[in-house]
Amino acid sequence: MELIDCLILGSGPAGYTAGIYAGRAGIAPVLYEGIQPGGQLTTTTEIENFPGYPEGVDGNQMMDDLRQQCVRFGTEIRSAIAVKTDLSQRPFTITFDDDSQVQCKTLIVATGASAKYLGLADEEKYRGQGVSACATCDGFFYRKKTVAVVGGGDTACEEATYLAGLAQKVYLIVRKDYLRASQAMQDRVFANPKIEVLFNTNTVGLFGENGVEGAHLVYKKGTDEEKQLDIQIDGFFLAIGHKPNSDIVKPWVNTDEVGYIITEGATPVTNVPGVFAAGDVADPLYRQAITAAASGCKAAIEVKKFLEENE
Ligand code: NDP
């Protein structure tokens, strides 16, 4: 079986930055892109807060640039998805969705996080037919239509604002009586005449003959003021947070109750020697491109040290 010195799972800012650093350290890493090549930033539009881009940068552009930088320093990029790991002994064995297997001396888990859904049967029923968790991917289909976004955080506000640029009307469905998004994001939402915020509101179902045509909502659920209401919509967008993609390493690597990989303090070191975690899969707090990139750098430095100490 092929034996790789440093295997990187994931192609977001964490994975690619790990590739750049490991490549420059002469390790010849192999990086598997996984389910979403380029990671979550490929589903956003403009990135305005990554240092070094005074005018902002398109998410896809930034990930293309990172990928090229990675390749330049000798990282081999492959496109399969890891489905199983055996981290019980070194070298570790990783199995991919094309049934291939490789062994590796060190592993950097940079598998990121995935969008969460409410758990309604109708979300499954209408997936790809009006239900989406990515406004920038699917918003184009809702030009001049009516859509709803669920959530009250920065993502929800960002998606609602983005969709308002395309659709004729956007409902923002918020379960509490306030938005938890940053003030700047909230201001943008409240200033946009196309966005109607529905506070204290939960979605309980979707309806429609040919794809989503509306949503069943409940206002102030469980109180004396409880009211059922239906809204007519063409698209239903989830923006309620993310789940860390740690399932494939969970049998071996310690995670918290949500599934975030637990690392030693501010390092990417996990409980399994030789396995390092970088980016959103290990970051319940910051989840930013810049923090993910930084942790990818740290992981590659740890890999170099580990290989030197264990060869
Ligand atoms: P958050 O965890 O911040 O917010 C999730 C939102 O979804 C909350 O309003 C939450 O409600 C709501 N929610 C969760 N579960 C449900 C449910 N079952 N039903 C209804 N509503 C639900 O996630 P985000 O993705 O918005 O943000 C993640 C991180 O990324 C944050 O730190 C954010 O600041 C950052 N971010 C920054 C951006 C930027 O700076 N440009 C852009 C996007 C994100 P409740 O409040 O009631 O818990």
Side-chain angles (χ1 to χ4, degrees):
M1 203 185 305
E2 182 185 7
L3 178 62
I4 294 163
D5 281 346
C6 171
L7 184 71
I8 302 167
L9 298 179
S11 55
Y16 282 148
T17 306
I20 294 165
Y21 273 77
R24 290 189 82 248
I27 297 170
V30 174
L31 181 151
Y32 281 80
E33 285 180 316
I35 295 170
Q36 189 175 37
Q40 291 180 75
L41 288 186
T42 58
T43 67
T44 191
T45 41
E46 190 88 337
I47 299 163
E48 294 179 333
N49 52 10
F50 201 92
Y53 296 97
E55 304 302 326
V57 58
D58 175 83
N60 282 292
Q61 182 63 51
M62 187 169 128
M63 298 321 295
D64 278 352
D65 289 347
L66 276 170
R67 189 182 200 279
Q68 281 182 40
Q69 201 174 350
C70 223
V71 171
R72 179 183 161 202
F73 294 114
T75 301
E76 184 187 334
I77 297 181
R78 300 180 184 173
S79 62
I81 298 164
V83 290
K84 196 171 162 224
T85 62
D86 180 352
L87 311 181
S88 60
Q89 56 180 22
R90 285 200 307 275
F92 309 121
T93 305
I94 317 295
T95 308
F96 297 90
D97 61 341
D98 57 5
D99 290 333
S100 63
Q101 281 191 323
V102 299
Q103 288 194 312
C104 57
K105 295 180 190 169
T106 63
L107 176 67
I108 296 178
V109 185
T111 44
S114 299
K116 281 204 273 194
Y117 287 79
L118 295 172
L120 303 172
D122 287 341
E123 287 171 319
E124 276 302 318
K125 183 173 165 191
Y126 293 107
R127 195 170 290 197
Q129 292 187 302
V131 172
S132 168
C134 177
T136 44
C137 315
D138 301 326
F140 186 73
F141 303 116
Y142 300 93
R143 277 168 301 165
K144 300 202 167 44
K145 297 197 170 172
T146 301
V147 297
V149 177
V150 184
D154 280 323
T155 303
C157 290
E158 194 174 66
E159 308 246 298
T161 307
Y162 175 78
L163 287 166
L166 296 163
Q168 70 164 21
K169 179 170 178 83
V170 179
Y171 292 103
L172 183 58
I173 304 171
V174 184
R175 66 178 173 183
K176 293 199 176 131
D177 62 357
Y178 63 89
L179 294 172
R180 77 154 77 168
S182 62
Q183 195 58 49
M185 289 285 193
Q186 293 193 32
D187 292 346
R188 261 183 238 179
V189 163
F190 291 126
N192 195 317
K194 283 190 182 172
I195 304 175
E196 183 180 345
V197 185
L198 304 175
F199 285 111
N200 298 305
T201 303
N202 282 283
T203 311
V204 290
L206 300 168
F207 59 88
E209 297 274 312
N210 299 304
V212 171
E213 291 170 13
H216 300 299
L217 308 181
V218 181
Y219 173 73
K220 290 207 173 170
K221 203 168 182 220
T223 72
D224 295 347
E225 293 171 77
E226 180 172 317
K227 259 191 316 201
Q228 315 266 347
L229 65 148
D230 286 352
I231 53 170
Q232 308 291 318
I233 51 169
D234 306 291
F236 183 75
F237 289 84
L238 284 309
I240 58 168
H242 292 82
K243 175 188 178 297
N245 297 321
S246 59
D247 287 353
I248 53 158
V249 295
K250 251 188 198 162
W252 324 99
V253 174
N254 290 340
T255 60
D256 70 10
E257 67 283 358
V258 180
Y260 287 100
I261 294 176
I262 296 169
T263 59
E264 275 177 28
T267 75
V269 174
T270 71
N271 60 302
V272 181
V275 177
F276 306 93
D280 284 12
V281 74
D283 180 5
L285 284 180
Y286 304 109
R287 295 176 291 194
Q288 299 299 300
I290 185 69
T291 49
S295 65
C297 154
K298 292 188 208 174
I301 291 172
E302 289 294 342
V303 160
K304 176 78 176 162
K305 205 167 84 184
F306 185 89
L307 288 172
E308 282 168 1
E309 285 169 4
N310 290 276
E311 293 275 273

